[in-house]
Amino acid sequence: MKLSALHQSYINRRTNSFRSSGPLDSSSDSAIKSPAAIFWLVFHALCCLISLLLGYRFSRLVFFFLFSTSSTNFYTSPFRSTAELVKTLDVHSVLSNNPVANLDLPLLNKTVTNSRVVVGRHGIRIRPWPHPDPVEVMKAHRIIEIVQKEQRSQFGIKNPRTVIVVTPTYVRTFQALHLTGVMHSLMLVPYDLVWIVVEAGGVSNETASLIAKSGLKTIHVGFNQRMPNSWEERHKLESKMRLRALRIIREKKLDGIVMFADDSNMHSMELFDEIQNVKWFGAVSVGILTHSVNTDEMADRKKDEEENPRMPVQGPACNASNMLAGWHTFNTLPFAGKSAVYIDDRATVLPRKLEWSGFVLNSRLLWKDSSDKPKWIKDIDMLNGDIESPLGLVNDPSVVEPLGNCGRQVLLWWLRVEARADSKFPPKWIIDPPLEITVPSKRTPWPDAPPELPANEKPAMGMQDPIVKHSTKRTSRSKHRSKRKHEPKTDTQVSTRHSEQS
Amino acid sequence: MPVSSSPPPILDSSLCRLLFLGSRDSSTMRKCLWLWGLLFIALGFAWSITAERNPRTERISGSAGDVLEDDPVGRLKVYVYELPSKYNKKILQKDPRCLSHMFAAEIFMHRFLLSSPVRTLNPEEADWFYTPIYATCDLTPTGLPLPFKSPRMVRSAIQLISSSWPYWNRTEGADHFFVVPHDFGACFHYQEEKAIERGILPILRRATLVQTFGQRNHVCLNEGSITIPPYAPPQKMQARQIPPDTPRSIFVYFRGLFYDVNNDPEETSLTPLMSGSGARAAVWENFKSNPLFDISTEHPTTYYEDMQRAIFCLCPLGWAPWSPRLVEAVVFGCIPVIIADDIVLPFADAIPWEEIGVFVAEEDVPKLDKILTSIPPHVILRKQRLLANPSMKRAMLFPQPTLPGDAFHQILNGLARKLPHPKSVYLKPGEKILNWTAGPITDLKPW
């Protein structure tokens, strides 16, 4: 029906023209003979001339008025008129039963002067402001939420368990970037959540203010060592921090599923649905995104991939009967010697053999005296030294449950990107006090100038001093503000800033 | 269980005696106890099984729900006339596209009846007579059926059956039924004004028409016609199912034409679709900028998948009030929003459309968003549960091979409900009601 309508209309026009020519043939013979028909022909020509001048089908309207009855049966009257119209050589049209309104409606609804718009029983009703009503939009979103909640309760996980997320972090330039990403992912999780944030270098206001924005239940713990500058050391410290978090879980006897969300990872929402399926100890596949910086390497890498395609996925590997058969790890050989050592190296950062974030465990495994704990889990307090990955917690690696369709689904991605060690950023990423420096908008493509970091003393400062003076001059001549067409925005900016300060 | 020689005093009451089937003997009492215990356990199981089924789907209680699952076998007998293949098989051979377009119900109904248990080879005991004519199979190169030859075809078929068998003349077709799934049913035209002009084909006026078109107070809908859904390919729809836990994130969904963009050289403006109403154009003009309304004229490849991710699916009237969108919406669990005044929906006596869909008057289209958001959430959830009922979905489809409760069975149920035929339909000998020469002259030409 959707496609056929277009074709049908096409056929309409074609077949109608054929059929109307039929009666035309029969009527034209008689037309030539009778003077009345000649009169109608002349009248029709006159109407055509008038419509040329006026711009719409005057002739058709006249015939409609002449031949239609004033009956209110809205099926018969338009169609009788069309029968007449067909005979008078016009192609058919359908008009509504209210001829006066018909004249008005097309002019109202269509700005085009051609009033041949075919309107129906009601015309095209358009409300006075045909744009979304915010109240209705909010109501609709609430309905969508309710429907999705119902769907989840019917088809999704029954009895979802609390998700306990462990994140090691420390204050640095990109912390806000990474942590906000993780935070937003966690805010979308439809299950109960506890977020344990372990911070190297002690609890800081930076991190606290960031995670307070989430509205989630958080446990913010400080770790008394500062984060070192090399990747090796950093990985070791992060493992220690995670173990600290696991000890907290054990102390507080938190019940749920423990997952490790590193602050620079990217998580998909399906991950949180999938980990609900874990019984004791599970593993998911992690996609490894190693960014390469050197473009000279590209040619070498292409050859490499043809010979031996690298699988940038870390996780469980299954055999044909969907049982755990081994592990996929990241092939670090091509990067040997070329990987980053220090955090702000431009070289590729390599992941560990198996990342912590690819493992999930039932928090009951960590409890001290849990009767139904399986035998293969080691006690955290009995660990001598640190463990590189959660596999160090199990005696027998074959008990690990592969999740995500036996490791075939990549549910999260690992990436390590950090800014230079000497890069500075405003604390809490708030510029306070506001900047006084503005750049005139004439030369820049944006009407507002991008704010410059007060810490970054650029040589362009020298150029900016006259501008500063210029701006102070401008405010005193505020009367002339309106005359300047190009710089009203910067004017108001400067004036408000000055007013704030004073 | 300890055996006591004398019955305990509690069992002396008459009720207990009845319970233990009048026996006072301890061993038979024990047996009776076991029997009652087993009975209770069995009842408990049955109750739990039925209780578990409730949360996901809902059965429409009352007469409507039961009627959907009626079995027509044994309630009626249908005799299928043996017409020469020029009326059916040869037409299909000429154009096999007829098997997949939305008017394919007539072909599948024929095939279903040939092998159905309701078919009888003895016309004397038949309650209904079926004439297999594929009247909607004359397709244009683009696949649209042209109805211009259909009246002549039907006339010639009826002339044949009235001369070869006595059953037509006995009632002048009142116990015969025909499947006419075209746009305006037996009016045999795709344009509304022309269809109304023609009216139902005069010789079919006494027969029962099984058609997709249904509109109250319309010439082309006879009293007692059975409205059926248009044919939608069941296998294609089954193949495009997405996991049911995919969250429904589209609020309102519609794909189709809004304006009739034709290539008449005189027309410079767009005419709203449907020569009788501007409902679709009103939807577009009011809601094209609304992010909740996913409406467009594009024909995406993910059409079926998108419908399964939508909460409401619009079914506004177009050239004719019915559309396959209704079937698609029901099958994919999307609540149909029907914008067609006075429409008669398929199997209206078996399916409670008021409880499943949302009806919006054509003049209320500008307020459509307000109407939809003011539906209380529990009503929306109930409608979704009713739509999730598999018997509802099956009633809208024409599966091959046939399944119990599908559209074929609903048609037979509808025919069975019209039985027994009133005595008045049987004509006295020599009586004639139908006018065989009525209608446009072009229709009277032999086919």
Side-chain angles (χ1 to χ4, degrees):
Chain A
M1 213 51 204
K2 322 175 265 292
L3 290 170
S4 67
L6 183 59
H7 302 291
Q8 270 187 349
S9 64
Y10 180 77
I11 294 171
N12 273 354
R13 306 292 175 236
R14 289 295 159 98
T15 51
N16 255 345
S17 55
F18 283 135
R19 272 186 281 137
S20 59
S21 64
L24 176 62
D25 288 329
S26 53
S27 61
S28 60
D29 293 325
S30 50
I32 294 168
K33 287 161 191 165
S34 63
I38 294 172
F39 164 73
W40 282 119
L41 264 174
V42 167
F43 187 60
H44 179 65
L46 190 66
C47 293
C48 284
L49 275 172
I50 296 173
S51 48
L52 263 178
L53 293 170
L54 292 177
Y56 58 89
R57 284 272 178 97
F58 184 65
S59 58
R60 181 175 309 178
L61 285 168
V62 168
F63 281 119
F64 175 69
F65 282 125
L66 286 178
F67 290 124
S68 72
T69 61
S70 56
S71 71
T72 52
N73 184 339
F74 72 89
Y75 274 119
T76 56
S77 68
F79 303 126
R80 201 178 305 152
S81 64
T82 52
E84 307 286 350
L85 288 170
V86 161
K87 287 181 196 148
T88 53
L89 311 175
D90 285 331
V91 181
H92 80 288
S93 83
V94 179
L95 299 169
S96 76
N97 61 332
N98 194 348
V100 177
N102 197 25
L103 287 177
D104 293 332
L105 277 168
L107 297 170
L108 275 176
N109 285 336
K110 299 267 169 187
T111 51
V112 185
T113 51
N114 187 347
S115 67
R116 273 199 71 256
V117 170
V118 175
V119 291
R121 298 176 229 178
H122 312 285
I124 312 170
R125 288 169 184 232
I126 305 178
R127 57 202 206 181
W129 197 64
H131 293 292
D133 180 4
V135 173
E136 304 301 331
V137 173
M138 283 319 296
K139 279 200 231 172
H141 278 292
R142 241 164 265 143
I143 291 178
I144 295 177
E145 260 175 51
I146 293 173
V147 168
Q148 289 187 358
K149 207 167 87 168
E150 179 71 18
Q151 271 186 287
R152 253 200 304 274
S153 73
Q154 279 187 7
F155 303 108
I157 315 283
K158 317 269 181 218
N159 311 321
R161 292 176 274 177
T162 311
V163 179
I164 304 167
V165 186
V166 172
T167 305
T169 184
Y170 69 104
V171 177
R172 66 228 194 251
T173 309
F174 279 7
Q175 184 204 26
L177 170 71
H178 295 316
L179 209 57
T180 315
V182 173
M183 190 168 78
H184 286 171
S185 304
L186 296 180
M187 280 157 77
L188 285 175
V189 173
Y191 311 113
D192 293 328
L193 203 116
V194 176
W195 193 15
I196 304 180
V197 180
V198 186
E199 190 172 347
V203 172
S204 73
N205 282 338
E206 284 273 343
T207 320
S209 64
L210 256 178
I211 59 181
K213 282 191 247 176
S214 67
L216 300 166
K217 207 163 144 236
T218 51
I219 301 175
H220 188 187
V221 178
F223 201 77
N224 284 329
Q225 259 181 284
R226 292 205 50 163
M227 191 62 87
N229 205 23
S230 78
W231 283 107
E232 271 293 325
E233 301 291 319
R234 177 174 159 171
H235 288 306
K236 287 205 186 112
L237 187 64
E238 279 181 351
S239 304
K240 283 196 201 138
M241 285 155 72
R242 291 188 188 106
L243 284 172
R244 174 91 167 77
L246 293 181
R247 287 197 185 96
I248 293 175
I249 295 174
R250 156 187 262 202
E251 274 163 31
K252 299 204 175 202
K253 278 217 155 175
L254 295 175
D255 190 14
I257 302 170
V258 183
M259 66 160 292
F260 301 98
D262 298 341
D263 55 3
S264 54
N265 285 359
M266 279 143 278
H267 311 88
S268 71
M269 289 299 113
E270 287 82 19
L271 171 70
F272 298 100
D273 294 328
E274 189 62 28
I275 59 177
Q276 295 282 344
N277 296 330
V278 79
K279 198 159 170 293
W280 288 116
F281 199 101
V284 289
S285 289
V286 183
I288 304 293
L289 303 170
T290 48
H291 71 102
S292 52
V293 185
N294 281 331
T295 47
D296 317 336
E297 314 264 334
M298 291 291 256
D300 294 347
R301 192 164 306 116
K302 279 202 185 116
K303 225 187 347 169
D304 219 357
E305 273 183 30
E306 281 162 19
E307 293 165 358
N308 184 15
R310 262 174 316 176
M311 196 161 27
V313 172
Q314 257 187 14
C318 290
N319 60 12
S321 51
N322 280 349
M323 304 288 286
L324 183 69
W327 300 93
H328 291 303
T329 61
F330 187 73
N331 184 7
T332 56
L333 287 178
F335 295 100
K338 288 181 260 171
S339 67
V341 174
Y342 293 102
I343 289 185
D344 47 7
D345 274 352
R346 288 186 71 219
T348 323
V349 182
L350 294 179
R352 309 265 78 204
K353 269 250 147 21
L354 284 170
E355 281 289 324
W356 278 79
S357 44
F359 293 94
V360 288
L361 42 136
N362 192 336
S363 65
R364 289 178 195 227
L365 288 176
L366 303 163
W367 291 1
K368 252 192 249 259
D369 43 0
S370 180
S371 52
D372 52 345
K373 235 169 46 166
K375 306 279 185 304
W376 39 259
I377 189 79
K378 287 187 207 162
D379 202 290
I380 309 181
D381 291 336
M382 310 300 180
L383 289 173
N384 43 356
D386 296 317
I387 51 175
E388 216 187 75
S389 83
L391 280 184
L393 285 173
V394 296
N395 287 324
D396 177 17
S398 63
V399 297
V400 177
E401 301 153 38
L403 298 173
N405 193 7
C406 209
R408 286 183 208 114
Q409 271 181 313
V410 174
L411 297 169
L412 71 155
W413 293 269
W414 176 97
L415 173 67
R416 288 285 182 264
V417 179
E418 293 298 345
R420 279 169 57 131
D422 58 346
S423 68
K424 311 240 186 325
F425 62 98
K428 297 189 198 172
W429 282 98
I430 294 174
I431 298 176
D432 184 41
L435 296 176
E436 292 179 28
I437 302 156
T438 57
V439 177
S441 62
K442 273 191 210 154
R443 299 286 161 79
T444 57
W446 303 101
D448 294 317
E452 290 185 40
L453 299 175
N456 273 333
E457 304 291 315
K458 289 201 181 129
M461 270 303 271
M463 200 181 73
Q464 289 163 359
D465 286 337
I467 296 166
V468 174
K469 287 183 209 152
H470 190 52
S471 59
T472 50
K473 266 196 233 162
R474 249 184 249 153
T475 52
S476 58
R477 295 184 288 142
S478 56
K479 290 178 213 158
H480 299 272
R481 209 189 302 161
S482 53
K483 287 188 187 164
R484 292 180 189 276
K485 288 179 197 164
H486 292 290
E487 294 148 77
K489 274 197 184 166
T490 50
D491 273 345
T492 50
Q493 263 183 357
V494 170
S495 59
T496 49
R497 280 187 196 134
H498 277 281
S499 60
E500 267 183 84
Q501 285 199 313
S502 55
Chain B
M1 219 157 93
V3 179
S4 53
S5 48
S6 60
I10 191 168
L11 293 172
D12 274 62
S13 67
S14 52
L15 180 65
C16 288
R17 221 174 295 147
L18 189 69
L19 228 78
F20 290 108
L21 301 169
S23 71
R24 288 172 139 246
D25 185 25
S26 54
S27 60
T28 47
M29 260 193 324
R30 220 191 312 166
K31 282 183 205 152
C32 288
L33 266 171
W34 277 115
L35 243 145
W36 282 112
L38 276 171
L39 192 70
F40 276 124
I41 291 169
L43 278 172
F45 263 125
W47 180 82
S48 65
I49 288 168
T50 50
E52 257 176 59
R53 259 198 302 173
N54 279 343
R56 203 168 292 185
T57 69
E58 213 169 289
R59 250 186 104 252
I60 307 142
S61 53
S63 60
D66 301 328
V67 160
L68 262 186
E69 287 154 29
D70 273 350
D71 189 11
V73 175
R75 294 169 61 198
L76 81 165
K77 294 231 171 285
V78 177
Y79 177 73
V80 181
Y81 283 123
E82 290 279 334
L83 287 186
S85 57
K86 70 168 181 170
Y87 291 101
N88 33 57
K89 291 209 187 71
K90 284 230 182 91
I91 299 182
L92 186 58
Q93 269 169 4
K94 253 195 283 181
D95 201 341
R97 282 180 299 175
C98 293
L99 278 174
S100 51
H101 67 174
M102 60 179 131
F103 308 107
E106 55 182 8
I107 303 173
F108 290 117
M109 190 68 192
H110 182 205
R111 293 188 180 178
F112 164 73
L113 283 171
L114 285 177
S115 53
S116 158
V118 303
R119 183 191 184 188
T120 168
L121 297 169
N122 177 8
E124 290 300 327
E125 60 170 17
D127 302 305
W128 287 101
F129 294 85
Y130 172 65
T131 324
I133 318 172
Y134 299 168
T136 331
C137 205
D138 181 17
L139 302 185
T140 64
T142 47
L144 295 170
L146 291 174
F148 305 121
K149 295 200 197 136
S150 310
R152 291 158 53 198
M153 196 159 111
V154 172
R155 273 183 70 89
S156 108
I158 294 178
Q159 268 166 345
L160 181 66
I161 59 174
S162 62
S163 51
S164 318
W165 286 277
Y167 309 104
W168 177 272
N169 293 324
R170 183 167 77 165
T171 56
E172 290 231 296
D175 54 356
H176 289 58
F177 71 92
F178 294 83
V179 181
V180 279
H182 194 55
D183 286 3
F184 287 95
C187 293
F188 290 121
H189 209 281
Y190 46 76
Q191 257 184 286
E192 186 166 14
E193 64 264 25
K194 287 268 179 295
I196 292 173
E197 230 179 272
R198 299 175 120 267
I200 296 183
L201 198 66
I203 34 172
L204 288 179
R205 296 240 169 105
R206 280 171 67 86
T208 296
L209 297 171
V210 178
Q211 58 189 50
T212 50
F213 172 75
Q215 193 169 325
R216 283 187 272 276
N217 307 321
H218 199 277
V219 177
C220 297
L221 181 69
N222 231 353
E223 268 301 316
S225 297
I226 298 177
T227 328
I228 61 170
Y231 177 75
Q235 293 92 344
K236 232 207 275 184
M237 295 207 277
Q238 285 294 97
R240 304 274 278 272
Q241 299 259 351
I242 59 176
D245 58 347
T246 316
R248 288 187 186 260
S249 46
I250 304 175
F251 193 61
V252 176
Y253 188 77
F254 175 74
R255 287 286 182 274
L257 289 175
F258 299 101
Y259 285 98
D260 184 17
V261 185
N262 52 38
N263 38 19
D264 190 318
E266 307 166 297
E267 302 246 7
T268 53
S269 66
L270 302 172
T271 56
L273 199 67
M274 174 66 183
S275 44
S277 152
R280 285 199 187 187
V283 167
W284 174 250
E285 292 298 332
N286 280 300
F287 301 110
K288 61 185 173 198
S289 60
N290 196 321
L292 297 171
F293 284 68
D294 187 355
I295 55 179
S296 115
T297 51
E298 295 211 354
H299 196 69
T301 45
T302 53
Y303 179 62
Y304 289 149
E305 287 84 352
D306 289 343
M307 271 196 153
Q308 292 172 71
R309 283 178 40 229
I311 300 182
F312 291 104
C313 288
L314 294 183
C315 306
L317 74 170
W319 287 90
W322 59 270
S323 110
R325 276 180 197 89
L326 187 67
V327 178
E328 288 157 357
V330 170
V331 169
F332 293 127
C334 177
I335 301 174
V337 179
I338 296 148
I339 312 174
D341 291 343
D342 295 330
I343 190 173
V344 175
L345 289 173
F347 306 132
D349 46 353
I351 298 179
W353 289 105
E354 286 285 326
E355 295 185 36
I356 295 171
V358 179
F359 286 83
V360 177
E362 285 168 35
E363 56 186 6
D364 286 335
V365 167
K367 295 184 265 167
L368 187 61
D369 60 346
K370 219 182 290 264
I371 296 172
L372 292 180
T373 53
S374 59
I375 304 176
H378 67 92
V379 172
I380 294 181
L381 292 177
R382 177 158 190 268
K383 287 189 203 274
Q384 290 191 320
R385 276 199 299 272
L386 286 171
L387 280 170
N389 197 348
S391 59
M392 188 76 58
K393 297 189 207 273
R394 239 181 297 145
M396 287 278 115
L397 294 173
F398 295 93
Q400 286 91 44
T402 183
L403 293 168
D406 62 8
F408 298 116
H409 290 93
Q410 303 301 332
I411 297 174
L412 291 179
N413 281 335
L415 290 170
R417 281 195 286 272
K418 293 183 85 178
L419 290 175
H421 295 295
K423 290 272 182 292
S424 52
V425 302
Y426 292 98
L427 301 176
K428 301 191 230 342
E431 191 185 347
K432 273 211 168 297
I433 300 180
L434 289 182
N435 182 357
W436 278 76
T437 52
I441 307 171
T442 47
D443 281 358
L444 301 174
K445 280 191 249 179
W447 185 72

